[in-house]
Amino acid sequence: MSFHTPLASATTEMVKRIAIPRRSEFLYRWFSWWVRGYLAKHFHAVRLSRDSLPRIPADAPLVIVVNHPSWWDPLMGMVLADLFPKRSHYAPMDAQMLDRYPLFSKLGFYGVEQGPKGAAVFLRTTVALLSQPGTTVWITAQGRFADPRVRPPGLRSGIGHLVQRLSNGFVVPLALEYPFWEERLPEALARFGAPIALGARADLCPSQWVKQIEKALAATQDALAADALARDPAAFVTLLRGKAGVGGIYDCWRRVVAWLRGERFQPEHGSEGGMP
């Protein structure tokens, strides 16, 4: 099945006239490498709920709708994007913030102005991007920082207007949390929800799409919350390992004790390494 023509209300000529953001593959790969090291310094581990990775055809338009609990979310997105290696990844970003950090314009981020005009440009640009085979657009549709326990998540109307303009493809909810478990540093947790096929529900209006996606995102957040409360690393696939232990003189003393006992030093405090 081909997904090369997702536009429902824009012609090919209209799409060609839109300035599609361009990404530097070299800078993207370099920054992705840097992000992994940066996350490893600030988190005990980056984990994905087991068996939650969606199976999406490689050429299908894909919109990933993410809750927005933290400043860390775009960096988490770059790690998770590596799970879709054959796709091109883009994300909207506040235009003023993009002006402050112009490097991001080379990494697949594109600016969005506030107001009706900015919303119209966002829709045209995003639809044009998704007309290209194998494109993924990551959207924090809450449009603000929000605690992961807030229900309903409160998605903005733009996501409904966007998916109504797509004749095929998928929307996938993504839940993020950053809880503390048994280590000094927090865990970075993620869970994908079930894909929502587009095109089969052409009867839905934008507000109905918002409610459907919001319901799916809330269910995904609830499932991740249950995983987080259980504190069981076995329920997750570990994508990245960071620092463990307390560090400093306390871990030095633990190393000496382990050496005197003829044991292997385990910096973790929890089930992955045993108690000190």
Side-chain angles (χ1 to χ4, degrees):
M1 183 176 182
S2 175
F3 293 88
H4 291 191
T5 56
L7 303 183
S9 61
T11 65
T12 302
E13 290 302 316
M14 288 174 63
V15 173
K16 286 181 178 178
R17 292 197 297 268
I18 296 171
I20 294 178
R22 299 299 176 188
R23 196 183 74 171
S24 167
E25 192 64 26
F26 171 78
L27 286 176
Y28 180 86
R29 289 300 165 193
W30 171 81
F31 193 72
S32 180
W33 168 82
W34 179 86
V35 162
R36 297 180 76 86
Y38 191 67
L39 289 172
K41 291 179 180 179
H42 293 86
F43 289 93
H44 175 234
V46 176
R47 308 181 193 271
L48 175 67
S49 291
R50 195 170 293 278
D51 299 325
S52 74
L53 183 66
R55 297 181 179 180
I56 303 294
D59 62 344
L62 175 59
V63 179
I64 297 180
V65 178
V66 193
N67 70 312
H68 199 14
S70 165
W71 175 90
W72 293 100
D73 302 341
L75 304 188
M76 275 287 288
M78 295 196 74
V79 173
L80 295 170
D82 287 343
L83 300 174
F84 305 89
K86 296 182 179 180
R87 305 185 66 88
S88 298
H89 300 275
Y90 296 87
M93 183 178 184
D94 182 86
Q96 292 183 347
M97 294 298 292
L98 191 60
D99 288 341
R100 291 178 60 184
Y101 305 102
L103 171 65
F104 282 80
S105 64
K106 304 294 185 181
L107 304 175
F109 292 85
Y110 55 100
V112 177
E113 299 280 357
Q114 298 297 317
K117 183 178 179 180
V121 172
F122 159 74
L123 290 174
R124 290 198 299 270
T125 303
T126 307
V127 168
L129 283 169
L130 291 168
S131 72
Q132 302 177 112
T135 296
T136 302
V137 176
W138 302 67
I139 300 176
T140 51
Q142 289 173 295
R144 68 194 189 286
F145 290 122
D147 190 280
R149 292 163 292 190
V150 171
R151 299 291 182 274
L155 305 186
R156 291 190 174 182
S157 62
I159 189 64
H161 288 281
L162 172 63
V163 299
Q164 191 194 40
R165 286 163 167 76
L166 303 175
S167 61
N168 55 43
F170 298 88
V171 170
V172 171
L174 170 62
L176 301 176
E177 273 197 41
Y178 306 95
F180 283 89
W181 282 358
E182 299 176 16
E183 298 295 327
R184 175 174 62 91
L185 297 178
E187 312 291 326
L189 307 182
R191 184 184 183 97
F192 289 102
I196 302 170
L198 303 177
R201 297 298 310 274
D203 58 314
L204 294 183
C205 68
S207 63
Q208 290 172 318
W209 271 118
V210 170
K211 290 181 180 179
Q212 181 172 339
I213 297 170
E214 191 172 63
K215 182 179 179 180
L217 179 59
T220 307
Q221 289 180 264
D222 290 343
L224 180 60
D227 290 342
L229 284 169
R231 297 190 174 204
D232 181 9
F236 296 84
V237 176
T238 300
L239 305 179
L240 179 66
R241 286 198 177 276
K243 292 185 176 181
V246 176
I249 191 170
Y250 179 64
D251 274 356
C252 286
W253 172 250
R254 293 174 62 222
R255 285 180 184 274
V256 171
V257 170
W259 177 76
L260 290 173
R261 292 175 177 173
E263 299 173 351
R264 180 173 175 268
F265 174 64
Q266 297 280 0
E268 290 86 358
H269 290 263
S271 58
E272 292 178 292
M275 293 298 290

